[in-house]
Amino acid sequence: MKIKSLFILLFFTSVSLLTAQNYTISGYVTDVKSGETMINGSVFEGKTRKGCVTNSYGFYSLTLPKGDVEIEFTYVGYTPQFRKFKLSKDTIINVSLKESIELKEVVVLGRQREMGVESSQMSAIEVPIQLIKTVPALFGETDILKALQLLPGVQGGVEGSAGFYVRGGGPDENLFLLDGVPVYNVNHLGGMFSVFNSDAIKNVTLYKGSFPARFGSRLSSVVDIRMNDGNNKKLKGNFSIGLISSKFNLEGPLFSDKTTFNISARRTYYDALIQPALMIVGKEEEMDKMMAGYYFYDMNAKISHKFSDNDRLYLSAYMGDDVIYADIRQNYRSDEYGKEENRLNMGWNWGNLITSLRWNHVINNKLFMNATSTFTRYRFDMNVGTKYKYETYNPPRLQSSDINLGYNSGIQDIGCKLDFDYNPNPNHDVKFGLNYTNHAFSPGVQVAKMTSQYDSIIQKIDTTIGNTSIYAHETILYAEDNININSFLKLNAGLHYSTFVVEGKFYHSLQPRLGLRALINDKLSVKAGYSYMSQYIHLLSNSSLSLPTDLWVPVTK
């Protein structure tokens, strides 16, 4: 009798499993004109009222019960698309949305699922690049950081400073990511402009607190910036001339629509504008040569290739520098007494070099993998030299000096990351991964060289003062789950574990992250969040202004 009862129980269990069979719909959401992937696009099924959003690479995965489905794909500023069909197997649907002039209310509400009222994420805001470009710009230069400083909880420093303060944190407590790669120096010209060229940027997301477990290494905020992949439909570009700079952008398919490129560059010409004035001053002061100036330049480049619906490869790079230079010469000659020569030569430059190679792979319709190798370097170099030579004919004498002073510092990171997005069902959005970074710190080296001569007496000084390079190893493991408990409660729970090894000392930190949302109605929710953060690298500043001479150093014994 027991065997018969067990058989009946197994039979009905198998029948219930068959009747409740689920299948997964997955794919990419892109722009129909450019082929750009869309971040945080909404995918919603009307009958079950289940939905999801695309990840940072435009991929989505939605598991639904077998049967008739009505899928809606939406994105702010784009015409929604609807797909009705009978779901009887795992299905891949790649959708291209068309930009619309009129915004419908349902589109805006669809975006709120990730960052707005319905989300468990606190203190986060996504700022489309189209909105940033509408902010009034200084000298015609649209600036991402200046736009973010208009948001609540964010403040800039005093005029001429490069400060970016979020809820009382210091400038070094903000993590700036460009395509997932840390950027250590984010400003040009003492903070008047940022290093981010808006023509090369697709999306900006600011996290001011309650960070998800996938982010770490800083205490105050995370600014996640994503670059354009490139237009795979047609070749297009733009060129503009401003009051102090010019820039261009060019993007399009390369060989075929499976390979795209996007390149942007800009350069200021303040040095060229002041050169006529320097020439006039040089003539008045009887200078043989007077050349000096300042400029900065940026260059962003990205190449992407689509091997298949499951595999895509991206190579992105950024290079930018601030340059101050001077070459001043003055000579006096007398046929009777002798000659005197003076020269001042200065080269002062600082900037970033960033590269990343990223591979997106769809392991299956529920599991998405992103593997990235990264390189980032910030360096500061300054050299100042003076030469003096005085020679008399009667009596014949020679007096000369050659002085060179140099200072350089920097930080260099080589890293690799492995990130996974797992969507078992619409109630769970799981992210997990690991990250390793090898840090090389150059805290600061001062070089002084001097050669002086008086007649036949020659003196030389060659001194190098400074710390040797410091190497550190940072490892991160994380896991988070965005859980829909019911229509009222939503929970984001995660753990972030980090280690830092430097000079034989081992630091580690287990950092819990928690976000809870209680939805009162479609326009009102109550949220609570908790996050524990650790930071292992810091910025040594010698004044209230953020100068390029500031040093990035690790925590040490």
Side-chain angles (χ1 to χ4, degrees), residues 10 132 173-174 205 209 221 240 259 263 289 322-323 332 367 396 464 468 470 500 522 526-527 534:
L10 291 174
I132 291 176
E173 295 175 357
N174 306 301
T205 305
S221 73
S240 62
T259 305
I263 183 169
K289 184 177 183 180
D322 288 66
V323 179
Y332 299 101
L367 184 60
T464 300
T468 58
I470 301 174
F500 196 82
D522 291 342
V526 178
K527 297 184 182 185
S534 294

Side-chain angles (χ1 to χ4, degrees), residues 278-347:
L278 291 177
M279 293 177 64
I280 295 174
V281 173
K283 288 182 179 180
E284 292 178 352
E285 298 294 330
E286 297 181 350
M287 297 288 183
D288 291 274
K289 184 177 183 180
M290 189 170 187
M291 180 179 292
Y294 164 83
Y295 68 90
F296 71 78
Y297 71 90
D298 293 312
M299 179 175 289
N300 297 79
K302 191 170 186 178
I303 297 177
S304 61
H305 180 73
K306 178 182 176 183
F307 292 97
S308 65
D309 287 336
N310 293 333
D311 293 279
R312 302 186 183 203
L313 192 67
Y314 302 85
L315 176 63
S316 58
Y318 166 83
M319 179 173 64
D321 272 315
D322 288 66
V323 179
I324 298 176
Y325 64 92
D327 188 4
I328 302 173
R329 303 180 188 183
Q330 189 174 36
N331 300 322
Y332 299 101
R333 298 179 184 275
S334 172
D335 295 335
E336 182 178 356
Y337 298 104
K339 60 182 179 179
E340 181 181 347
E341 299 177 1
N342 292 279
R343 182 180 180 184
L344 171 65
N345 191 15
M346 181 180 70

Side-chain angles (χ1 to χ4, degrees), residues 152-167:
V154 184
Q155 186 176 0
V158 297
E159 289 298 325
S161 76
F164 186 84
Y165 303 90
V166 178
R167 293 180 173 174

Side-chain angles (χ1 to χ4, degrees), residues 380-545:
F380 168 86
D381 293 317
M382 180 175 66
N383 292 281
V384 178
T386 62
K387 289 185 178 182
Y388 171 75
K389 185 178 180 181
Y390 179 62
E391 185 178 0
T392 61
Y393 301 142
N394 189 18
R397 285 185 176 179
L398 176 64
Q399 183 179 352
S400 67
S401 65
D402 189 350
I403 302 174
N404 286 281
L405 302 176
Y407 178 83
N408 59 80
S409 65
I411 179 174
Q412 177 177 295
D413 292 350
I414 299 175
C416 56
K417 299 195 301 180
L418 198 58
D419 302 298
F420 295 91
D421 286 11
Y422 178 55
N423 301 94
N425 58 63
N427 293 325
H428 291 270
D429 178 13
V430 181
K431 300 180 187 296
F432 59 95
L434 54 92
N435 182 2
Y436 167 76
T437 304
N438 177 269
H439 299 281
F441 298 87
S442 300
V445 177
Q446 302 177 38
V447 178
K449 296 181 180 181
M450 183 178 71
T451 302
S452 63
Q453 181 178 357
Y454 187 80
D455 290 339
S456 61
I457 302 174
I458 300 177
Q459 292 181 331
K460 291 186 178 182
I461 298 177
D462 191 343
T463 304
T464 300
I465 303 173
N467 296 323
T468 58
S469 295
I470 301 174
Y471 299 94
H473 306 272
E474 185 175 6
T475 305
I476 294 172
L477 298 171
Y478 74 88
E480 65 175 273
D481 189 2
N482 210 24
I483 310 167
N484 283 308
I485 300 174
N486 52 45
S487 59
F488 177 69
L489 291 177
K490 189 172 185 177
L491 175 69
N492 185 297
L495 280 176
H496 180 103
Y497 178 70
S498 62
T499 67
F500 196 82
V501 181
V502 57
E503 294 187 335
K505 181 70 174 178
F506 177 78
Y507 301 89
H508 67 103
S509 174
L510 183 63
Q511 306 165 31
R513 314 289 173 81
L514 189 67
L516 181 65
R517 178 226 67 190
L519 186 64
I520 307 301
N521 55 48
D522 291 342
K523 297 182 179 180
L524 178 64
S525 64
V526 178
K527 297 184 182 185
Y530 172 82
S531 61
Y532 183 88
M533 309 291 292
S534 294
Q535 181 168 335
Y536 302 106
I537 64 175
H538 305 280
L539 189 65
L540 289 184
S541 300
N542 55 12
S543 67
S544 60
L545 298 179

